[in-house]
Amino acid sequence: MHWAWAALFGGAALLYAYFYYLKPFLSRRPGRNDSRRREEMSSSYQARPTPQAPPREEKVALKASCTVPFVDKDPELTRRLEAMHARVQRVADERYARESANLERLGLSRTIKTRSPPPVPAATPAPEATATPTPSSSPNDDAEREARRKAHLEACRQRDLPGLVWEGPVQEEVGTSSAPDPAVVATTVPLASAPPQERARRQVRWMQRVNGTVDLTQAYEDPTLQAQARQCIPVALLMQRARASLQADGKPLAPEATPDADALALELVRWFKNDFFTFVPTKGFPCSCGAPCVSRGMAEPWPEEAAYRCQVVEAWECPCCRTLNRFPRYNDCRKLLATRRGRCGEFANCFALCARSLGYDVRLCTEWSDHIWVELYSRPRGRWVHYDPCEGCSDTPLMYECGWGKQISYVIACSFEGICDVTWRYTKDPAAVLERRQEVTEEYVTRAVSTHNMKILRYVAPTRREVLLARWAAEQQELEARRQATPENLSGPAAGTAEVQPRLNLGRQ
């Protein structure tokens, strides 16, 4: 049996060797095929002639022909390009004139120069034409220019100019007397004279800022985060303090009765400011050695800091021990519950989580310049109530304008259930506020708020939807009444008293 398999495999091997090796070799005819292959190979390896370089005169002529503009060959194309250049130049001159007018309004006037293409030199210049030396600026002009520049920078830092589009802090170098960089210092462009492209960019920036605040409120609905916040709140102590506060006000409660939600919220904001959170001063950051630090600008967040939604890190250097301290501005409530320090942004963010963990309806109110606080919905009062955890006060909406002297422009309240323009609740002069609202139009604000809320209502239960619609209708009536009222007819807490006017240095972001 084995010899049969061996014979079979041997025959197969012989057939394979015959057809693939032996048969092509036997069918080869060397007389004709080899001679033709040798001729082809010899012809392919023959030396080819080297191309001769053109003479120098031909190179010069070729280069000159390439430098001639092609528009000379097409008069129609030349006319179109000249017209396009004229339009671009006209738009640039108008923008330059507008910027010069804005700088002159701010105290930095400059001569408006019409930018035109360089003149074509004459073929034979006149012999008597001589170059006139340019007069140099005197020291008095330089001092005046430097004084106006510093005044302009200080005005931009204070942000008291209507319609000012602020792009960031201006870094002033010591010992320089050059004019401010127009790319850094934003110009004042009123909304009425802004081009359509600038209006569209302002609308995008306005809505991006609102959406950023709404994203912060989404974290308040996390059950795990709410449980972590409730572990930090001494609810029994707050109940006891609320009971004592009501009794001091002449509203004693029965032993088995519990204080209402408003009394508990007031004790919550007082405990949060005095016992739980620590304010970080904007000047003189405290070092571990006890000495105040000096600001060294901003630093990049580390990966472990960026994991907690940190985008800005302040760098502080101690002049005594030379220690570089970092103050990361966290936006994650998990980290804020551990660090328990910050400014008005961290105060409002963490307090909103604590209030939401106790069952309150919470909104973050962002004032467009530099402050943020919280609003809680009061069921006994049937309205939204102002709470500022950075100041430890409640229901004093006019303290910012009347007590601090703040020029309010936009105050937007944001939550995961909708947004609302509540500016008119925090001002006694609606007409002045309307003049300062130069970023977007009032029609856009109304349309953006309504569109956002309608999108949210699609995913809300029908019973909750009816509650929200009733709240929004009542709030719109209240805000519209305050918007149409005069300063004499407006009522509210007296914001100039000592009880309502807290420390002016705190609460600034």
Side-chain angles (χ1 to χ4, degrees), residues 110-432:
R110 66 183 181 186
T111 305
I112 301 177
K113 301 179 181 179
T114 304
R115 288 171 287 185
S116 58
V120 180
T124 56
E128 63 274 7
T130 58
T132 303
T134 303
S136 59
S137 59
S138 61
N140 295 333
D141 296 341
D142 295 341
E144 182 180 359
R145 188 183 302 109
E146 179 65 17
R148 286 185 297 179
R149 187 181 77 89
K150 290 185 177 181
H152 175 63
L153 293 177
E154 184 64 25
C156 290
R157 289 194 184 97
Q158 294 178 0
R159 310 181 188 182
D160 291 334
L161 304 176
L164 180 65
V165 183
W166 182 258
E167 299 293 344
V170 179
Q171 300 291 339
E172 183 178 0
E173 298 181 2
V174 179
T176 59
S177 60
S178 59
D181 188 4
V184 178
V185 182
T187 57
T188 304
V189 181
L191 183 61
S193 60
Q197 295 83 357
E198 178 63 23
R199 293 187 180 184
R201 284 193 293 267
R202 293 184 183 184
Q203 293 175 2
V204 171
R205 288 196 299 264
W206 192 92
M207 202 61 203
Q208 285 178 349
R209 188 167 184 176
V210 172
N211 291 333
T213 309
V214 173
D215 292 341
L216 291 179
T217 62
Q218 300 288 342
Y220 305 154
E221 305 306 312
D222 187 0
T224 306
L225 196 56
Q226 291 184 7
Q228 185 178 354
R230 279 193 297 267
Q231 293 178 359
C232 302
I233 303 174
V235 181
L237 178 61
L238 297 181
M239 287 288 187
Q240 183 180 357
R241 291 180 179 179
R243 187 184 300 274
S245 178
L246 290 175
Q247 187 174 0
D249 294 341
K251 303 176 183 178
L253 296 177
E256 64 277 0
T258 58
D260 59 353
D262 294 346
L264 181 61
L266 182 58
E267 296 301 327
L268 177 65
V269 70
R270 292 174 179 174
W271 163 84
F272 188 88
K273 177 188 181 301
N274 299 324
D275 303 335
F276 185 73
F277 229 72
T278 304
F279 183 82
V280 177
T282 57
K283 294 182 179 180
F285 184 86
C287 183
S288 57
C289 65
C293 298
V294 180
S295 176
R296 295 306 181 199
M298 299 297 173
E300 291 293 332
W302 292 338
E304 54 270 18
E305 296 170 345
Y308 293 100
R309 305 182 65 176
C310 174
Q311 300 177 355
V312 178
V313 177
E314 299 179 5
W316 299 83
E317 184 180 1
C318 180
C320 297
C321 61
R322 295 300 177 182
T323 303
L324 185 62
N325 300 278
R326 297 170 59 89
F327 175 43
R329 306 296 300 275
Y330 293 110
N331 290 322
D332 196 332
C333 293
R334 291 183 178 86
K335 192 65 175 180
L336 294 179
L337 290 175
T339 59
R340 300 183 182 183
R341 67 171 187 171
R343 300 199 183 106
C344 66
E346 291 83 358
F347 266 80
N349 194 7
C350 192
F351 175 76
L353 172 64
C354 294
R356 183 57 182 163
S357 65
L358 297 181
Y360 290 94
D361 292 336
V362 179
R363 294 196 307 195
L364 279 181
C365 294
T366 305
E367 200 275 320
W368 234 235
S369 61
D370 61 349
H371 197 48
I372 183 172
W373 58 86
V374 179
E375 283 187 350
L376 305 182
Y377 188 78
S378 173
R379 291 181 175 84
R381 304 180 190 182
R383 62 180 179 89
W384 291 93
V385 181
H386 155 260
Y387 286 87
D388 194 332
C390 196
E391 302 296 341
C393 58
S394 67
D395 203 14
T396 55
L398 299 180
M399 60 176 273
Y400 307 109
E401 186 177 72
C402 301
W404 291 8
K406 182 182 288 293
Q407 295 185 352
I408 293 176
S409 59
Y410 294 95
V411 180
I412 308 300
C414 304
S415 70
F416 78 103
E417 290 181 329
I419 61 177
C420 184
D421 181 15
V422 295
T423 308
W424 319 112
R425 182 178 296 150
Y426 297 91
T427 181
K428 292 186 67 176
D429 194 357

Side-chain angles (χ1 to χ4, degrees), residues 417 457 459-471:
E417 290 181 329
L457 286 179
Y459 307 99
V460 178
T463 55
R464 183 63 178 175
R465 186 184 309 159
E466 296 298 330
V467 173
L468 294 178
L469 289 176
R471 288 183 184 178

